Amino acid sequence: MKTLLKILGIAVLVVVCLAAIGVSWLALRHPASRPASSEKIEATPERIARGRYLAMHVSDCFGCHSDHLLTYGVPIKPGTEGQGGLVFDEKLGIPGVVCAQNITPDPENGLGNWSDGEILRAMREGVDRSGEALFPMMPYQSLREMSDDDARAIVAYVRTIKPVRHSVPPKRINFPVNLLVKFAPQPLTGPVTAPDDAKDHLGYGKYLAMIAGCHECHSPHDDKNQIVESKAFSGGWEMAGLWGRNVTSNLTPDPEAYLGRATKEEFIGRFRAFAGMNAENAPAADKGRNTVMPWLAMSAMTDQDLGAIYDYLKSLKPIKNKVVAFPDAAIAAIEKAK
């Protein structure tokens, strides 16, 4: 009996030691990455203009990397563009503390001392200038689809914005997510190009739907926060923040969903309706009905780009998934009716 207990004790000790070694290896491990390119991006007027359009209105970089007012549409607070965003913590379902960082050219708090190649790598491959993994709230897994030309344009534009001396809290991810997140970044393996709208219209629409976050936000996520690809674009992802709770809508052309009924003109018009709204005139949101959908930013997208997204979404397989977009408003209405 003593021999058996001794053997079991040794076995348990071996398992504990192996687990400790595994945890130590993960703690010291860096995510998969490649050296940042040494390129210096030429900041032509055309490239800066393209970068501004993408950063402000398509990928909405400043929607995350700025402070906000909590009026309808959560407009960017003037003067905070790029200084860093809201703090997300355990109260909002984050395993720790994550805050969108300062992306202005400020050398102390922002990207002033980053090389162009380091910014490109962070955007699309998910590692910072030290080679550490970015938390995938930064949508690098979608932005890896962004073409080399468009990514360079964003870098060129970000270099031109006003430096803001503003620090934000560093990320602090709880165990074991702090170890598992190291597996999220993946280096690009070759050049990335965008489809030509004239030759591959649906491909171009898909491209925009990826880099604009439609796929990321309007797809259900599993308990590990991974997109359920078999139900992509069918909505149902709950997004909670200081604005309240939103559940993303179904973007497949199911007859019971908006895309199943809307014409292209109606789809584009829905965005255009927000073209005149800004931080100065955005109204207060009704209780439970504010939205994190970047209507204000995307209202300035071109008809061509919005139309391409619409045509791509209409080509998808319809998926039935009825969602309640504003659950807090629905609860308030039920309470009021009692």
PDB file of all heavy atoms in Angstrom, residues 167-189:
ATOM      1  N   SER A 167      -1.770  59.840 -21.855  1.00  0.00           N
ATOM      2  CA  SER A 167      -1.456  58.435 -21.581  1.00  0.00           C
ATOM      3  C   SER A 167      -2.728  57.685 -21.227  1.00  0.00           C
ATOM      4  O   SER A 167      -3.672  58.254 -20.671  1.00  0.00           O
ATOM      5  CB  SER A 167      -0.446  58.314 -20.441  1.00  0.00           C
ATOM      6  OG  SER A 167      -0.989  58.834 -19.243  1.00  0.00           O
ATOM      7  N   VAL A 168      -2.757  56.411 -21.569  1.00  0.00           N
ATOM      8  CA  VAL A 168      -3.885  55.546 -21.217  1.00  0.00           C
ATOM      9  C   VAL A 168      -3.334  54.353 -20.447  1.00  0.00           C
ATOM     10  O   VAL A 168      -2.145  54.034 -20.535  1.00  0.00           O
ATOM     11  CB  VAL A 168      -4.643  55.070 -22.477  1.00  0.00           C
ATOM     12  CG1 VAL A 168      -5.247  56.245 -23.216  1.00  0.00           C
ATOM     13  CG2 VAL A 168      -3.732  54.284 -23.397  1.00  0.00           C
ATOM     14  N   PRO A 169      -4.180  53.681 -19.674  1.00  0.00           N
ATOM     15  CA  PRO A 169      -3.687  52.550 -18.885  1.00  0.00           C
ATOM     16  C   PRO A 169      -3.114  51.446 -19.785  1.00  0.00           C
ATOM     17  O   PRO A 169      -3.695  51.149 -20.841  1.00  0.00           O
ATOM     18  CB  PRO A 169      -4.935  52.057 -18.158  1.00  0.00           C
ATOM     19  CG  PRO A 169      -5.880  53.206 -18.171  1.00  0.00           C
ATOM     20  CD  PRO A 169      -5.611  53.933 -19.440  1.00  0.00           C
ATOM     21  N   PRO A 170      -2.004  50.847 -19.399  1.00  0.00           N
ATOM     22  CA  PRO A 170      -1.506  49.694 -20.159  1.00  0.00           C
ATOM     23  C   PRO A 170      -2.445  48.516 -19.971  1.00  0.00           C
ATOM     24  O   PRO A 170      -3.189  48.445 -18.981  1.00  0.00           O
ATOM     25  CB  PRO A 170      -0.142  49.418 -19.519  1.00  0.00           C
ATOM     26  CG  PRO A 170      -0.271  49.935 -18.117  1.00  0.00           C
ATOM     27  CD  PRO A 170      -1.181  51.133 -18.214  1.00  0.00           C
ATOM     28  N   LYS A 171      -2.437  47.603 -20.916  1.00  0.00           N
ATOM     29  CA  LYS A 171      -3.333  46.449 -20.794  1.00  0.00           C
ATOM     30  C   LYS A 171      -2.872  45.546 -19.656  1.00  0.00           C
ATOM     31  O   LYS A 171      -1.685  45.428 -19.363  1.00  0.00           O
ATOM     32  CB  LYS A 171      -3.405  45.666 -22.115  1.00  0.00           C
ATOM     33  CG  LYS A 171      -2.175  44.870 -22.489  1.00  0.00           C
ATOM     34  CD  LYS A 171      -2.442  44.060 -23.750  1.00  0.00           C
ATOM     35  CE  LYS A 171      -1.264  43.173 -24.136  1.00  0.00           C
ATOM     36  NZ  LYS A 171      -0.095  43.921 -24.561  1.00  0.00           N
ATOM     37  N   ARG A 172      -3.830  44.937 -19.013  1.00  0.00           N
ATOM     38  CA  ARG A 172      -3.568  43.959 -17.956  1.00  0.00           C
ATOM     39  C   ARG A 172      -4.561  42.827 -18.156  1.00  0.00           C
ATOM     40  O   ARG A 172      -5.759  42.989 -17.899  1.00  0.00           O
ATOM     41  CB  ARG A 172      -3.729  44.580 -16.572  1.00  0.00           C
ATOM     42  CG  ARG A 172      -3.557  43.549 -15.439  1.00  0.00           C
ATOM     43  CD  ARG A 172      -3.797  44.184 -14.085  1.00  0.00           C
ATOM     44  NE  ARG A 172      -5.096  44.805 -13.965  1.00  0.00           N
ATOM     45  CZ  ARG A 172      -6.225  44.127 -13.771  1.00  0.00           C
ATOM     46  NH1 ARG A 172      -6.228  42.790 -13.721  1.00  0.00           N
ATOM     47  NH2 ARG A 172      -7.380  44.767 -13.654  1.00  0.00           N
ATOM     48  N   ILE A 173      -4.077  41.702 -18.646  1.00  0.00           N
ATOM     49  CA  ILE A 173      -4.941  40.567 -18.968  1.00  0.00           C
ATOM     50  C   ILE A 173      -4.791  39.496 -17.899  1.00  0.00           C
ATOM     51  O   ILE A 173      -3.667  39.111 -17.535  1.00  0.00           O
ATOM     52  CB  ILE A 173      -4.592  39.984 -20.351  1.00  0.00           C
ATOM     53  CG1 ILE A 173      -4.566  41.089 -21.405  1.00  0.00           C
ATOM     54  CG2 ILE A 173      -5.590  38.901 -20.734  1.00  0.00           C
ATOM     55  CD1 ILE A 173      -5.862  41.837 -21.542  1.00  0.00           C
ATOM     56  N   ASN A 174      -5.897  39.007 -17.416  1.00  0.00           N
ATOM     57  CA  ASN A 174      -5.887  38.006 -16.359  1.00  0.00           C
ATOM     58  C   ASN A 174      -5.417  36.642 -16.870  1.00  0.00           C
ATOM     59  O   ASN A 174      -5.571  36.301 -18.043  1.00  0.00           O
ATOM     60  CB  ASN A 174      -7.286  37.863 -15.751  1.00  0.00           C
ATOM     61  CG  ASN A 174      -7.785  39.150 -15.127  1.00  0.00           C
ATOM     62  OD1 ASN A 174      -7.000  40.027 -14.750  1.00  0.00           O
ATOM     63  ND2 ASN A 174      -9.096  39.293 -15.008  1.00  0.00           N
ATOM     64  N   PHE A 175      -4.867  35.852 -15.946  1.00  0.00           N
ATOM     65  CA  PHE A 175      -4.503  34.451 -16.221  1.00  0.00           C
ATOM     66  C   PHE A 175      -5.790  33.630 -16.353  1.00  0.00           C
ATOM     67  O   PHE A 175      -6.742  33.847 -15.614  1.00  0.00           O
ATOM     68  CB  PHE A 175      -3.642  33.925 -15.063  1.00  0.00           C
ATOM     69  CG  PHE A 175      -3.248  32.482 -15.194  1.00  0.00           C
ATOM     70  CD1 PHE A 175      -2.121  32.129 -15.922  1.00  0.00           C
ATOM     71  CD2 PHE A 175      -4.010  31.484 -14.600  1.00  0.00           C
ATOM     72  CE1 PHE A 175      -1.758  30.799 -16.045  1.00  0.00           C
ATOM     73  CE2 PHE A 175      -3.656  30.150 -14.736  1.00  0.00           C
ATOM     74  CZ  PHE A 175      -2.526  29.810 -15.462  1.00  0.00           C
ATOM     75  N   PRO A 176      -5.892  32.686 -17.286  1.00  0.00           N
ATOM     76  CA  PRO A 176      -4.869  32.241 -18.239  1.00  0.00           C
ATOM     77  C   PRO A 176      -4.959  32.918 -19.606  1.00  0.00           C
ATOM     78  O   PRO A 176      -4.214  32.591 -20.497  1.00  0.00           O
ATOM     79  CB  PRO A 176      -5.180  30.755 -18.372  1.00  0.00           C
ATOM     80  CG  PRO A 176      -6.679  30.700 -18.294  1.00  0.00           C
ATOM     81  CD  PRO A 176      -7.072  31.767 -17.296  1.00  0.00           C
ATOM     82  N   VAL A 177      -5.906  33.902 -19.739  1.00  0.00           N
ATOM     83  CA  VAL A 177      -6.080  34.538 -21.042  1.00  0.00           C
ATOM     84  C   VAL A 177      -4.807  35.258 -21.472  1.00  0.00           C
ATOM     85  O   VAL A 177      -4.489  35.332 -22.658  1.00  0.00           O
ATOM     86  CB  VAL A 177      -7.283  35.508 -21.013  1.00  0.00           C
ATOM     87  CG1 VAL A 177      -7.467  36.186 -22.365  1.00  0.00           C
ATOM     88  CG2 VAL A 177      -8.552  34.765 -20.620  1.00  0.00           C
ATOM     89  N   ASN A 178      -4.051  35.784 -20.500  1.00  0.00           N
ATOM     90  CA  ASN A 178      -2.810  36.477 -20.836  1.00  0.00           C
ATOM     91  C   ASN A 178      -1.803  35.566 -21.525  1.00  0.00           C
ATOM     92  O   ASN A 178      -0.935  36.037 -22.277  1.00  0.00           O
ATOM     93  CB  ASN A 178      -2.190  37.089 -19.580  1.00  0.00           C
ATOM     94  CG  ASN A 178      -1.786  36.047 -18.548  1.00  0.00           C
ATOM     95  OD1 ASN A 178      -2.430  35.006 -18.419  1.00  0.00           O
ATOM     96  ND2 ASN A 178      -0.731  36.319 -17.822  1.00  0.00           N
ATOM     97  N   LEU A 179      -1.930  34.267 -21.314  1.00  0.00           N
ATOM     98  CA  LEU A 179      -1.058  33.304 -21.995  1.00  0.00           C
ATOM     99  C   LEU A 179      -1.663  32.857 -23.321  1.00  0.00           C
ATOM    100  O   LEU A 179      -0.971  32.761 -24.334  1.00  0.00           O
ATOM    101  CB  LEU A 179      -0.808  32.090 -21.094  1.00  0.00           C
ATOM    102  CG  LEU A 179      -0.222  32.386 -19.710  1.00  0.00           C
ATOM    103  CD1 LEU A 179      -0.010  31.086 -18.948  1.00  0.00           C
ATOM    104  CD2 LEU A 179       1.095  33.151 -19.826  1.00  0.00           C
ATOM    105  N   LEU A 180      -2.959  32.625 -23.303  1.00  0.00           N
ATOM    106  CA  LEU A 180      -3.621  32.130 -24.514  1.00  0.00           C
ATOM    107  C   LEU A 180      -3.643  33.167 -25.630  1.00  0.00           C
ATOM    108  O   LEU A 180      -3.607  32.816 -26.813  1.00  0.00           O
ATOM    109  CB  LEU A 180      -5.049  31.703 -24.175  1.00  0.00           C
ATOM    110  CG  LEU A 180      -5.184  30.578 -23.135  1.00  0.00           C
ATOM    111  CD1 LEU A 180      -6.647  30.312 -22.819  1.00  0.00           C
ATOM    112  CD2 LEU A 180      -4.498  29.306 -23.617  1.00  0.00           C
ATOM    113  N   VAL A 181      -3.690  34.463 -25.264  1.00  0.00           N
ATOM    114  CA  VAL A 181      -3.776  35.514 -26.276  1.00  0.00           C
ATOM    115  C   VAL A 181      -2.525  35.552 -27.153  1.00  0.00           C
ATOM    116  O   VAL A 181      -2.545  36.087 -28.262  1.00  0.00           O
ATOM    117  CB  VAL A 181      -4.008  36.886 -25.593  1.00  0.00           C
ATOM    118  CG1 VAL A 181      -2.729  37.395 -24.929  1.00  0.00           C
ATOM    119  CG2 VAL A 181      -4.531  37.897 -26.585  1.00  0.00           C
ATOM    120  N   LYS A 182      -1.455  34.941 -26.685  1.00  0.00           N
ATOM    121  CA  LYS A 182      -0.218  34.930 -27.465  1.00  0.00           C
ATOM    122  C   LYS A 182      -0.346  34.107 -28.741  1.00  0.00           C
ATOM    123  O   LYS A 182       0.487  34.241 -29.646  1.00  0.00           O
ATOM    124  CB  LYS A 182       0.935  34.383 -26.618  1.00  0.00           C
ATOM    125  CG  LYS A 182       1.267  35.235 -25.406  1.00  0.00           C
ATOM    126  CD  LYS A 182       2.444  34.670 -24.633  1.00  0.00           C
ATOM    127  CE  LYS A 182       2.767  35.542 -23.423  1.00  0.00           C
ATOM    128  NZ  LYS A 182       3.998  35.092 -22.740  1.00  0.00           N
ATOM    129  N   PHE A 183      -1.372  33.276 -28.811  1.00  0.00           N
ATOM    130  CA  PHE A 183      -1.556  32.451 -30.002  1.00  0.00           C
ATOM    131  C   PHE A 183      -2.389  33.148 -31.075  1.00  0.00           C
ATOM    132  O   PHE A 183      -2.533  32.630 -32.176  1.00  0.00           O
ATOM    133  CB  PHE A 183      -2.222  31.125 -29.623  1.00  0.00           C
ATOM    134  CG  PHE A 183      -1.345  30.231 -28.784  1.00  0.00           C
ATOM    135  CD1 PHE A 183      -1.448  30.233 -27.407  1.00  0.00           C
ATOM    136  CD2 PHE A 183      -0.407  29.407 -29.382  1.00  0.00           C
ATOM    137  CE1 PHE A 183      -0.637  29.416 -26.627  1.00  0.00           C
ATOM    138  CE2 PHE A 183       0.408  28.586 -28.616  1.00  0.00           C
ATOM    139  CZ  PHE A 183       0.290  28.593 -27.234  1.00  0.00           C
ATOM    140  N   ALA A 184      -2.940  34.323 -30.753  1.00  0.00           N
ATOM    141  CA  ALA A 184      -3.809  35.010 -31.713  1.00  0.00           C
ATOM    142  C   ALA A 184      -3.046  35.648 -32.872  1.00  0.00           C
ATOM    143  O   ALA A 184      -3.459  35.516 -34.027  1.00  0.00           O
ATOM    144  CB  ALA A 184      -4.659  36.044 -30.992  1.00  0.00           C
ATOM    145  N   PRO A 185      -1.939  36.357 -32.638  1.00  0.00           N
ATOM    146  CA  PRO A 185      -1.250  37.005 -33.767  1.00  0.00           C
ATOM    147  C   PRO A 185      -0.659  35.988 -34.742  1.00  0.00           C
ATOM    148  O   PRO A 185      -0.158  34.930 -34.333  1.00  0.00           O
ATOM    149  CB  PRO A 185      -0.130  37.808 -33.087  1.00  0.00           C
ATOM    150  CG  PRO A 185      -0.591  37.990 -31.680  1.00  0.00           C
ATOM    151  CD  PRO A 185      -1.340  36.749 -31.354  1.00  0.00           C
ATOM    152  N   GLN A 186      -0.733  36.317 -36.014  1.00  0.00           N
ATOM    153  CA  GLN A 186      -0.130  35.494 -37.055  1.00  0.00           C
ATOM    154  C   GLN A 186       0.527  36.412 -38.078  1.00  0.00           C
ATOM    155  O   GLN A 186      -0.105  37.358 -38.549  1.00  0.00           O
ATOM    156  CB  GLN A 186      -1.178  34.617 -37.743  1.00  0.00           C
ATOM    157  CG  GLN A 186      -1.789  33.547 -36.864  1.00  0.00           C
ATOM    158  CD  GLN A 186      -0.785  32.504 -36.418  1.00  0.00           C
ATOM    159  OE1 GLN A 186       0.145  32.180 -37.159  1.00  0.00           O
ATOM    160  NE2 GLN A 186      -0.952  31.988 -35.204  1.00  0.00           N
ATOM    161  N   PRO A 187       1.781  36.167 -38.431  1.00  0.00           N
ATOM    162  CA  PRO A 187       2.440  37.027 -39.418  1.00  0.00           C
ATOM    163  C   PRO A 187       1.858  36.829 -40.814  1.00  0.00           C
ATOM    164  O   PRO A 187       1.409  35.732 -41.167  1.00  0.00           O
ATOM    165  CB  PRO A 187       3.905  36.585 -39.357  1.00  0.00           C
ATOM    166  CG  PRO A 187       3.862  35.189 -38.825  1.00  0.00           C
ATOM    167  CD  PRO A 187       2.692  35.128 -37.903  1.00  0.00           C
ATOM    168  N   LEU A 188       1.841  37.894 -41.584  1.00  0.00           N
ATOM    169  CA  LEU A 188       1.462  37.778 -42.988  1.00  0.00           C
ATOM    170  C   LEU A 188       2.527  36.988 -43.724  1.00  0.00           C
ATOM    171  O   LEU A 188       3.718  37.056 -43.398  1.00  0.00           O
ATOM    172  CB  LEU A 188       1.317  39.168 -43.612  1.00  0.00           C
ATOM    173  CG  LEU A 188       0.168  40.024 -43.077  1.00  0.00           C
ATOM    174  CD1 LEU A 188       0.257  41.437 -43.636  1.00  0.00           C
ATOM    175  CD2 LEU A 188      -1.173  39.405 -43.429  1.00  0.00           C
ATOM    176  N   THR A 189       2.106  36.252 -44.719  1.00  0.00           N
ATOM    177  CA  THR A 189       3.046  35.381 -45.435  1.00  0.00           C
ATOM    178  C   THR A 189       3.400  35.898 -46.820  1.00  0.00           C
ATOM    179  O   THR A 189       4.186  35.271 -47.529  1.00  0.00           O
ATOM    180  CB  THR A 189       2.465  33.964 -45.554  1.00  0.00           C
ATOM    181  OG1 THR A 189       1.200  34.027 -46.217  1.00  0.00           O
ATOM    182  CG2 THR A 189       2.285  33.342 -44.172  1.00  0.00           C
TER     183      THR A 189
END
